[in-house]
Amino acid sequence: MSDIDWDNPIDPKPGWQLDHVKQYVGSDGAQGQFWNGTQTLLLTTVGRVSGNPVRTPLIYGEDDGRYFLVASNGGTPQHPLWYRNLTAHPEVRIQVGPEKLQGTARTATAEERTAYWPLMVKHWPSYDEYQSKTDREIPIVVIEPARQDA
């Protein structure tokens, strides 16, 4: 994945997500990290078909240096594109406020999902509603940042 141009990702189509990304990036994370009463990060995945980096704003939780995302897609039957991308290419980049990190993403184990679902519902209560609207189990993604050893 060393040939990926992580600094020039494809952003969302025009609309609120693109506006959010522009605010986040344009302020170097000073604005946009907090949205509608919750915290957000910018996730950059590698397109499973295109091989290009793709950036998405997402609500996150954090525990013990790991970041958690919910692949809800609003409760639709399909997983979101960003989730399908990271299952094909688990190397990701995230921006949390001004901090930019490289990491590895994976789907939470059943035990982790049980433990972290309530944390994520605290950040966005609609996740329970989204889960009730779909037959698929909505995955939680765990992002383990790369170690920054001195």
Side-chain angles (χ1 to χ4, degrees), residues 66-138:
R66 298 181 303 165
Y67 295 88
F68 303 97
L69 309 172
V70 177
S72 68
N73 208 16
T76 64
Q78 304 83 24
H79 292 305
L81 291 174
W82 62 262
Y83 178 75
R84 290 183 269 168
N85 286 344
L86 66 78
T87 59
H89 302 286
E91 183 182 357
V92 299
R93 299 289 192 277
I94 58 173
Q95 180 175 347
V96 184
E99 190 173 15
K100 297 172 184 168
L101 303 166
Q102 177 178 334
T104 304
R106 63 177 174 80
T107 302
T109 64
E111 183 178 273
E112 288 171 324
R113 185 184 185 282
T114 298
Y116 290 111
W117 186 262
L119 168 74
M120 296 310 298
V121 169
K122 274 187 181 178
H123 287 290
W124 196 251
S126 294
Y127 286 142
D128 276 337
E129 176 192 338
Y130 300 161
Q131 183 59 79
S132 72
K133 289 172 32 178
T134 185
D135 290 334
R136 72 179 171 93
E137 181 176 81
I138 293 175

Side-chain angles (χ1 to χ4, degrees), residues 1-27:
M1 292 273 152
S2 60
D3 58 341
I4 301 298
D5 186 1
W6 292 101
D7 293 327
N8 292 299
I10 297 167
D11 285 327
K13 293 178 182 169
W16 71 268
Q17 284 188 324
L18 179 59
D19 294 343
H20 188 119
V21 168
K22 284 182 175 181
Q23 181 184 46
Y24 210 117
V25 172
S27 69

